[in-house]
Amino acid sequence: MRSLYCGEVNESHIGQEVTLCGWVNKRRDLGAVIFLDVRDREGIVQVVFDPDLPDVLEKANTLRNEFCVQITGKVRPRPEGQVNKDMATGGIEVLGLSLNILNKSAPLPLDFNQENSEEQRLRYRYLDLRRPEMSERLKFRAKVTAAVRKSLEGQGFLDIETPILTAATPEGARDYLVPSRTHKGNFFALPQSPQLFKQLLMMSGMERYYQIVKCFRDEDLRADRQPEFTQIDIETSFMTADQVMAVTEKMIRELFIELLDVDLGEFPRMPYAEAMRRFGSDKPDLRNPLEIVDVADILKDVEFKVFSGPANDDNGRVAVICVPNGAASFSRKNIDDLTKFVGIYGAKGMPWLKVNDIDAGLEGLQSPILKFLSEEAVAALLERTNAKTGDIIFFGADTYTTVSEALGALRLKLGEDLGITSDEWKPLWVVDFPMFEEVDGHMHALHHPFTAPSNATPEELEANPIGALSDAYDMVLNGCELGGGSVRIHDKPMQSAVFRILGISDEEAQEKFGFLLDALQYGAPPHAGLAFGLDRLVMLMTGASSIRDVMAFPKTTTAACPLTNAPGQANEAQLVELGIAKLPKEK
Amino acid sequence: MRSLYCGEVNESHIGQEVTLCGWVNKRRDLGAVIFLDVRDREGIVQVVFDPDLPDVLEKANTLRNEFCVQITGKVRPRPEGQVNKDMATGGIEVLGLSLNILNKSAPLPLDFNQENSEEQRLRYRYLDLRRPEMSERLKFRAKVTAAVRKSLEGQGFLDIETPILTAATPEGARDYLVPSRTHKGNFFALPQSPQLFKQLLMMSGMERYYQIVKCFRDEDLRADRQPEFTQIDIETSFMTADQVMAVTEKMIRELFIELLDVDLGEFPRMPYAEAMRRFGSDKPDLRNPLEIVDVADILKDVEFKVFSGPANDDNGRVAVICVPNGAASFSRKNIDDLTKFVGIYGAKGMPWLKVNDIDAGLEGLQSPILKFLSEEAVAALLERTNAKTGDIIFFGADTYTTVSEALGALRLKLGEDLGITSDEWKPLWVVDFPMFEEVDGHMHALHHPFTAPSNATPEELEANPIGALSDAYDMVLNGCELGGGSVRIHDKPMQSAVFRILGISDEEAQEKFGFLLDALQYGAPPHAGLAFGLDRLVMLMTGASSIRDVMAFPKTTTAACPLTNAPGQANEAQLVELGIAKLPKEK
């Protein structure tokens, strides 16, 4: 029905007759002449109807925005002065010779020239996606998946599908449940990830598995969460952590070179402990030049208990962020606001110190807490932070976790507010995670219960779980976790030990994960893997501000679809057939 | 951890040291020497341990089948007389220099040397998949998806994901439902296909969409059905039915050439009516030389009511299958069995006629119904069927549907039983389907309610729905429907007309499909598409006898997974959170 796309017409077609299909993007009626911008997936071209063909002109006169049209015309250079260098097709125009109106359009419920509400955009998603910004994102996403597949298949990875209707998975978030009709009273769960299936595939000898796969979590949604999201899921046998990191780093580097012409270079590696210490985060944004500096040793002898308390506590932390040239930027009001901000993370206050003149001794400093500190401590502090005239120093003193989280968040906020976060790409690997963390007296797996310790026997691990490091690795880009993975446990005694540490009895473990424990007995190979969040990767690469903007049909923050009205009503007979009933509404 | 795959070691590596990882496939202990067959994803290689390295030999002595091992050794030619030409690695062996037992294996619960029950195979699927036959199928499947993606992406198709948590879809099978926690009392449905989303993507201007996507049907399972299955889903704008068929035929032809070195040639096209007439099926198996021949005109004046009744009825059919050289193959007992067989399809009997001597007139014929037929009719019958000495003719006389189905099934059975179905590949397109069929006084869409009529206005369609043909097309290969599709309705009046014909009131249509009807108003482009069943395609291409054998983790015929025990129990708190309760068990 067309000879080429609108966006493809160029000077090489001058003199040729072309047939185009697309939508009226804009229409200008200059009385005797009508100009159309006609849009299709690949771009926009200008079409002119003139009085030489009065029938066609008359028909063109009935066109309105978003009519779907088929136009045959002759390509000609634009007249002198009308050339538009900002447009791919700006050097030419098409003189319309015939016009076929494929479909009319009522006036759109969305105005493309203004911001529309999220609700409206999702309700009329099929129109929202006509905006070139949105269609470009979906096209880009398709390019990402194609490049990922090419890279992985080139390295011998097999695309293998795993079930969507499955058993409850152990990731810890809430599962979506699906009532079974043939086994009434029982439920499938939608997978939070194909973790156990991909491990089983390694035990099957498939050796290199990948899948670009939907995963599901029934969580209360935040800006960057969706009930269903897409994972680039990878698992390998007979590879070390280093090799898995090499393979996947290569994939991401190739992706950035191919699609963005950006060479990310070799990714640095940073132990978890260092990331927490310097950046207060396990996904540090290295574009931000600010760092957290520990000063407990300097302040442990001051009389000020706010500092000396945590400084002398094994679980405490006293640290600062020094903002170069920041003194003038922060009024009392600003500082009060920041204090409230760190309060969100549990910080009970935020002492500060302005360096008005580094050469003027204590006189040159300004701070509500100066009187509590010794001159030596202050001098050591200024030296440690390498503070200069005009800088401001913010303090955190509390438990290790609270200070790290509060100063980590403060660092990001300051980087953003002060505009000092660069727009480079800053990838890194975070490694050497603890196996477990203790929360409210319970042990939790920092990654998941199938992650192997770096270097411990089951007995050693059970004797000192909190000190054990795991063979896990996260890929971080610009402060976002792009992906995470680990070497997996591949023998039954270790897997049983980890379950026991997590408070899962042998009996419960057998009931829930018996098939995994069984499978580990039949020559399970050493294996390791990783999963990337595709939505977030595409969001970062396209500069979109939400993963919703890189999905064709996302859900709202209450997990609904205003377009199809899902979730919807089910009739009573269906529910009876499934062996379930609705509970009466809560008052 | 390895230098190459086991299956890759060959004569070019002779003299080199290699490191291999894999599983002990077989172990032969010849006293002083131990031979191992070591298996990995790419094949099997022979490893020899000899007494020159007693420590290694001793360790090798502890190996059992399915132990996971890492072996370093030196490649050498096999001794004269031990070369195995049937094995890719049969010219060489690896002299084991070191052995690392990566994991031991308990004796397997599956015996690879015999048939295991389906239940056992699924329960220990991770072991079942170690069988080269199974792993080859999964590898082949991955090649199919890669080739499909390459072909479609090369033609400008964009891989776009559509939701899994969505509204009930109109395909007609039972939906899987997912209770919503955030909208209690409401339910998502898992998609039976992304039909409406792909049409909406066309209205978004994406123009060429494809997706390899899971679809779900909660049906009682037959041999070739699974609760979740995978579709190669395709939709295009601005293409005619011919163009869609050309694009997808090209894809399938390329696939067969690339993966099976088979050129399917150009696919013939056959109208639905012809397929039913000649083969009694809308998915004729053209490998079978038998055809159904209509003889109503010849038999309409005979006195035998069994024939003359249907022959004079507009909804009746009288037809035969003539089996060349079949007379001797069918005893009374055989014929009785065949009569029972066609009875399944509603045939109330199956008259027959053996041609013992074509030159002997009525004397040369044998048939219980010969006495009811005139000499002229018999002569015309023999001429019409081109019967020869030694042939047998089977009769069907009933309604058009019953005769077509019964003789269609008989044709397939005879082709199979007599071994006359060839093993070529016989693809075709079936086209010109009726828009609707009437079942029990209700109109049903033969494809789905979004299929466009070939050539009718909404008014014409409503005036004569039963006579209307649709712009639909099915791709059939060897009697299996590989895929089906159609040109879609792209304007609201036509869509509303079809809903009314199907007995869906305007009000109900607006409630269920309002978003589609709305979307058709905003310049929806002409569009068309097709969906292939990936599982069935791979099954045919690999010669597997069930789609279960080309899926990594299929379900049983009661839709359960013996491996993970899905569907499983849900706890009360989860259900309350979802606003549902289990109904008490039926007595």
Side-chain angles (χ1 to χ4, degrees):
Chain A
M1 292 178 70
R2 63 151 65 94
S3 58
L4 78 176
Y5 284 108
C6 295
E8 290 172 347
V9 188
N10 61 37
E11 280 77 358
S12 76
H13 303 103
I14 286 172
Q16 294 178 23
E17 209 169 281
V18 294
T19 300
L20 306 170
C21 286
W23 288 264
V24 176
N25 199 57
K26 214 163 70 185
R27 172 176 166 281
R28 274 164 303 149
D29 191 344
L30 303 186
V33 182
I34 290 175
F35 286 94
L36 293 186
D37 280 354
V38 181
R39 185 191 73 236
D40 65 17
R41 197 181 83 178
E42 301 300 330
I44 290 177
V45 71
Q46 175 167 296
V47 178
V48 193
F49 295 97
D50 73 15
D52 289 350
L53 293 169
D55 288 358
V56 181
L57 184 68
E58 195 181 334
K59 207 169 185 185
N61 202 27
T62 68
L63 293 174
R64 295 295 175 271
N65 280 356
E66 300 304 320
F67 274 36
C68 185
V69 292
Q70 182 185 36
I71 292 167
T72 298
K74 199 162 186 174
V75 183
R76 66 184 189 191
R78 290 204 192 184
E80 200 81 28
Q82 291 183 25
V83 170
N84 182 344
K85 291 213 169 111
D86 295 338
M87 220 173 146
T89 61
I92 52 86
E93 63 186 13
V94 177
L95 176 65
L97 301 177
S98 77
L99 166 63
N100 180 10
I101 299 178
L102 297 169
N103 216 345
K104 296 181 179 185
S105 176
L108 299 198
L110 288 186
D111 181 350
F112 287 170
N113 297 315
Q114 61 167 49
E115 281 277 314
N116 296 286
S117 75
E118 186 81 14
E119 172 82 16
Q120 281 289 96
R121 287 180 57 199
L122 294 183
R123 175 151 185 216
Y124 297 103
R125 191 60 162 184
Y126 50 91
L127 298 177
D128 191 43
L129 292 178
R130 285 191 193 169
R131 295 192 294 125
E133 185 185 34
M134 291 301 289
S135 65
E136 285 306 320
R137 285 181 187 141
L138 290 192
K139 280 157 70 178
F140 190 90
R141 183 179 175 124
K143 281 185 194 155
V144 170
T145 54
V148 164
R149 292 182 187 282
K150 196 177 87 182
S151 172
L152 291 174
E153 289 173 9
Q155 297 180 72
F157 284 84
L158 298 175
D159 179 5
I160 302 177
E161 294 177 69
T162 54
I164 298 291
L165 293 169
T166 182
T169 43
E171 273 78 5
R174 207 184 278 109
D175 283 318
Y176 278 103
L177 296 184
V178 183
S180 163
R181 181 178 55 85
T182 45
H183 300 271
K184 284 196 188 40
N186 285 20
F187 293 80
F188 295 103
L190 303 183
Q192 295 183 34
S193 91
Q195 180 64 33
L196 291 176
F197 286 112
K198 67 179 178 173
Q199 292 192 231
L200 290 169
L201 285 173
M202 295 305 103
M203 299 170 203
S204 304
M206 301 315 297
E207 305 213 11
R208 294 189 177 197
Y209 145 93
Y210 92 95
Q211 193 182 186
I212 298 182
V213 60
K214 280 279 177 71
C215 301
F216 304 85
R217 292 186 185 191
D218 185 10
E219 293 180 301
D220 295 310
L221 305 183
R222 288 179 271 154
D224 61 342
R225 292 283 176 91
Q226 280 280 311
E228 53 183 296
F229 56 97
T230 305
Q231 207 161 279
I232 304 169
D233 200 45
I234 292 171
E235 196 79 9
T236 69
S237 296
F238 309 121
M239 274 202 205
T240 61
D242 279 344
Q243 288 170 320
V244 173
M245 284 190 267
V247 164
T248 51
E249 179 175 321
K250 178 169 182 281
M251 179 187 94
I252 295 290
R253 282 184 67 180
E254 285 175 356
L255 197 62
F256 272 75
I257 289 171
E258 185 176 334
L259 297 186
L260 295 179
D261 200 21
V262 167
D263 186 354
L264 294 175
E266 205 175 306
F267 296 9
R269 294 191 188 180
M270 188 180 291
Y272 172 86
E274 181 184 341
M276 294 306 284
R277 197 174 69 240
R278 292 173 57 195
F279 306 103
S281 167
D282 60 357
K283 39 179 195 280
D285 187 346
L286 301 185
R287 299 172 306 167
N288 178 335
L290 301 177
E291 289 199 21
I292 300 170
V293 176
D294 275 287
V295 295
D297 56 326
I298 296 173
L299 298 173
K300 69 181 195 299
D301 296 326
V302 300
E303 288 191 19
F304 190 41
K305 284 275 181 286
V306 169
F307 288 162
S308 60
N312 286 292
D313 183 339
D314 279 351
N315 291 320
R317 184 173 193 187
V318 185
V320 299
I321 292 177
C322 175
V323 183
N325 302 311
S329 308
F330 295 96
S331 65
R332 282 291 166 106
K333 167 82 175 63
N334 296 143
I335 295 175
D336 285 349
D337 288 345
L338 288 181
T339 307
K340 274 182 206 144
F341 174 78
V342 295
I344 299 170
Y345 301 89
K348 288 180 284 287
M350 191 186 59
W352 52 273
L353 186 156
K354 287 187 180 179
V355 184
N356 294 329
D357 183 353
I358 191 72
D359 300 319
L362 291 180
E363 298 288 296
L365 304 178
Q366 176 192 354
S367 166
I369 57 155
L370 202 54
K371 53 183 175 290
F372 303 123
L373 307 181
S374 66
E375 209 170 326
E376 294 75 28
V378 171
L381 195 67
L382 295 176
E383 196 187 336
R384 172 78 51 88
T385 57
N386 196 21
K388 300 200 167 42
T389 296
D391 293 359
I392 184 168
I393 295 170
F394 295 109
F395 290 77
D398 207 308
T399 65
Y400 195 90
T401 307
T402 301
V403 169
S404 302
E405 286 183 2
L407 291 187
L410 178 66
R411 174 180 173 269
L412 293 182
K413 182 170 170 53
L414 293 171
E416 199 70 28
D417 290 355
L418 298 171
I420 55 176
T421 297
S422 73
D423 58 1
E424 299 159 283
W425 295 100
K426 288 287 195 181
L428 78 155
W429 287 103
V430 177
V431 295
D432 295 342
F433 287 85
M435 276 291 281
F436 305 101
E437 56 182 353
E438 203 173 337
V439 181
D440 303 332
H442 294 289
M443 294 296 253
H444 289 266
L446 217 77
H447 273 76
H448 54 56
F450 316 108
T451 300
S454 320
N455 201 355
T457 63
E459 297 72 29
E460 288 165 356
L461 196 65
E462 288 198 81
N464 178 22
I466 213 67
L469 296 182
S470 71
D471 226 349
Y473 32 82
D474 278 1
M475 187 189 286
V476 175
L477 178 64
N478 295 359
C480 284
E481 186 195 322
L482 274 193
S486 63
V487 174
R488 324 300 185 184
I489 295 169
H490 73 284
D491 65 320
K492 189 174 171 178
M494 181 65 84
Q495 187 64 68
S496 295
V498 168
F499 283 145
R500 279 192 299 270
I501 292 168
L502 294 171
I504 301 171
S505 71
D506 286 359
E507 195 185 2
E508 190 186 345
Q510 192 58 42
E511 189 190 314
K512 275 192 185 164
F513 305 115
F515 63 99
L516 178 72
L517 293 169
D518 278 358
L520 290 173
Q521 299 180 95
Y522 302 115
H527 59 291
L530 192 138
F532 290 100
L534 174 65
D535 310 294
R536 202 178 291 171
L537 174 63
V538 176
M539 179 185 86
L540 281 180
M541 291 183 82
T542 57
S545 55
S546 157
I547 58 168
R548 289 193 301 280
D549 281 345
V550 299
M551 303 172 105
F553 300 101
K555 303 232 169 18
T556 64
T557 47
T558 66
C561 172
L563 170 60
T564 60
N565 282 323
Q569 297 296 319
N571 66 48
E572 209 52 41
Q574 270 180 302
L575 300 185
V576 168
E577 210 174 15
L578 295 173
I580 59 170
K582 287 191 268 184
L583 291 174
K585 286 233 188 271
E586 288 155 28
K587 299 283 152 61
Chain B
M1 293 176 71
R2 64 151 63 95
S3 58
L4 76 177
Y5 284 107
C6 295
E8 290 172 348
V9 188
N10 61 38
E11 281 77 356
S12 76
H13 303 103
I14 287 171
Q16 292 178 25
E17 209 170 283
V18 295
T19 300
L20 306 170
C21 286
W23 288 264
V24 176
N25 200 58
K26 210 162 73 186
R27 171 178 167 279
R28 274 164 303 147
D29 190 344
L30 304 187
V33 182
I34 290 176
F35 286 94
L36 293 185
D37 280 354
V38 181
R39 185 193 71 235
D40 65 16
R41 197 181 82 179
E42 301 300 330
I44 290 178
V45 72
Q46 175 167 297
V47 178
V48 192
F49 295 98
D50 72 17
D52 289 350
L53 294 168
D55 289 358
V56 181
L57 184 67
E58 194 182 335
K59 206 171 186 183
N61 203 25
T62 69
L63 293 174
R64 294 294 176 271
N65 280 356
E66 300 302 320
F67 274 35
C68 184
V69 292
Q70 182 184 37
I71 292 167
T72 299
K74 199 162 185 173
V75 182
R76 65 183 189 190
R78 290 205 190 182
E80 200 80 28
Q82 291 182 25
V83 170
N84 182 344
K85 292 214 167 112
D86 295 338
M87 221 175 145
T89 63
I92 53 89
E93 61 186 15
V94 177
L95 176 65
L97 301 176
S98 77
L99 166 63
N100 182 10
I101 299 178
L102 297 170
N103 215 345
K104 295 180 180 184
S105 176
L108 299 198
L110 288 187
D111 182 349
F112 286 172
N113 296 315
Q114 61 167 52
E115 281 278 315
N116 296 285
S117 75
E118 186 82 16
E119 172 82 16
Q120 280 291 95
R121 287 180 58 200
L122 293 183
R123 174 151 185 217
Y124 297 103
R125 189 62 161 183
Y126 49 91
L127 299 177
D128 190 44
L129 293 178
R130 285 190 192 169
R131 295 192 295 126
E133 184 186 35
M134 291 302 289
S135 65
E136 285 305 321
R137 286 183 187 138
L138 291 191
K139 280 157 69 178
F140 189 90
R141 183 180 175 123
K143 281 185 196 156
V144 170
T145 54
V148 164
R149 292 181 186 286
K150 196 177 87 183
S151 172
L152 291 175
E153 288 172 8
Q155 297 180 72
F157 284 83
L158 299 175
D159 179 5
I160 303 176
E161 294 177 69
T162 54
I164 298 291
L165 294 168
T166 182
T169 42
E171 273 79 5
R174 209 184 277 109
D175 283 319
Y176 277 102
L177 296 184
V178 183
S180 163
R181 181 180 54 86
T182 44
H183 299 271
K184 282 194 189 40
N186 286 19
F187 293 80
F188 295 103
L190 303 182
Q192 296 184 32
S193 92
Q195 181 64 34
L196 291 176
F197 285 112
K198 68 178 177 173
Q199 292 192 231
L200 290 169
L201 284 173
M202 295 305 103
M203 299 171 204
S204 301
M206 301 314 297
E207 306 214 9
R208 294 188 179 199
Y209 146 94
Y210 92 95
Q211 193 182 187
I212 298 183
V213 61
K214 280 278 176 72
C215 302
F216 304 85
R217 292 186 184 189
D218 185 9
E219 293 179 301
D220 296 311
L221 304 183
R222 285 180 273 153
D224 60 342
R225 293 281 177 90
Q226 281 280 310
E228 52 183 296
F229 56 96
T230 305
Q231 207 160 281
I232 305 169
D233 200 44
I234 293 170
E235 195 79 8
T236 69
S237 296
F238 307 121
M239 273 201 204
T240 61
D242 279 343
Q243 287 170 321
V244 173
M245 285 190 267
V247 164
T248 51
E249 180 175 320
K250 178 169 183 284
M251 180 187 94
I252 296 290
R253 283 184 67 181
E254 285 174 357
L255 197 62
F256 272 75
I257 289 171
E258 187 176 333
L259 298 185
L260 295 180
D261 200 21
V262 168
D263 185 354
L264 295 175
E266 204 174 307
F267 295 9
R269 294 191 188 179
M270 187 181 293
Y272 172 85
E274 180 184 343
M276 295 305 285
R277 198 174 68 239
R278 292 175 55 195
F279 307 104
S281 168
D282 60 357
K283 38 180 195 281
D285 187 345
L286 300 186
R287 298 172 304 168
N288 179 335
L290 301 177
E291 289 199 21
I292 300 170
V293 177
D294 276 287
V295 294
D297 56 327
I298 295 173
L299 298 174
K300 70 181 197 300
D301 297 326
V302 300
E303 288 192 19
F304 191 39
K305 284 273 181 290
V306 169
F307 288 163
S308 60
N312 287 291
D313 183 340
D314 278 351
N315 291 319
R317 183 172 192 188
V318 185
V320 299
I321 293 178
C322 175
V323 184
N325 303 311
S329 308
F330 295 96
S331 66
R332 282 290 164 106
K333 167 84 175 59
N334 295 146
I335 294 176
D336 285 349
D337 288 346
L338 289 181
T339 306
K340 274 183 206 144
F341 174 79
V342 296
I344 300 170
Y345 301 89
K348 286 180 285 288
M350 190 184 61
W352 53 272
L353 185 156
K354 285 187 182 179
V355 184
N356 294 329
D357 182 352
I358 189 74
D359 299 319
L362 291 180
E363 299 287 297
L365 305 178
Q366 176 190 356
S367 166
I369 56 156
L370 202 56
K371 56 181 173 287
F372 303 124
L373 308 181
S374 65
E375 209 170 327
E376 294 75 27
V378 170
L381 195 67
L382 295 177
E383 195 188 338
R384 172 77 53 86
T385 57
N386 197 21
K388 302 203 165 42
T389 295
D391 294 359
I392 184 168
I393 295 170
F394 295 109
F395 291 77
D398 208 308
T399 64
Y400 195 90
T401 307
T402 300
V403 169
S404 302
E405 286 183 0
L407 292 187
L410 178 66
R411 175 180 172 268
L412 293 182
K413 184 170 170 52
L414 293 173
E416 199 72 29
D417 290 355
L418 298 172
I420 54 176
T421 297
S422 74
D423 57 0
E424 301 160 281
W425 294 101
K426 288 286 194 181
L428 78 154
W429 287 104
V430 177
V431 295
D432 295 341
F433 287 85
M435 277 289 282
F436 305 101
E437 55 182 353
E438 204 173 336
V439 182
D440 302 332
H442 292 288
M443 294 297 253
H444 289 267
L446 216 77
H447 272 76
H448 54 55
F450 315 109
T451 300
S454 322
N455 200 356
T457 63
E459 296 73 27
E460 288 165 355
L461 197 64
E462 288 197 82
N464 178 22
I466 213 67
L469 296 182
S470 72
D471 225 349
Y473 32 82
D474 278 1
M475 188 190 286
V476 174
L477 179 63
N478 295 359
C480 282
E481 186 195 323
L482 275 192
S486 62
V487 173
R488 324 301 186 184
I489 296 169
H490 73 285
D491 65 319
K492 190 174 169 176
M494 182 65 84
Q495 188 64 69
S496 296
V498 168
F499 284 144
R500 278 192 299 271
I501 291 168
L502 294 171
I504 302 171
S505 70
D506 286 0
E507 196 184 2
E508 191 186 345
Q510 191 58 42
E511 190 190 313
K512 277 194 182 161
F513 304 115
F515 63 100
L516 176 72
L517 292 169
D518 278 359
L520 291 173
Q521 299 180 95
Y522 301 115
H527 59 292
L530 191 139
F532 290 100
L534 175 65
D535 310 293
R536 203 178 292 172
L537 175 63
V538 176
M539 180 186 85
L540 281 180
M541 291 183 82
T542 58
S545 55
S546 157
I547 59 169
R548 289 193 301 280
D549 281 346
V550 298
M551 303 173 105
F553 300 102
K555 302 230 170 18
T556 64
T557 47
T558 67
C561 172
L563 170 61
T564 60
N565 282 324
Q569 297 296 320
N571 67 47
E572 209 53 41
Q574 271 179 300
L575 299 186
V576 168
E577 210 173 15
L578 295 174
I580 60 170
K582 287 191 268 184
L583 291 174
K585 286 235 190 271
E586 288 155 28
K587 301 281 154 63

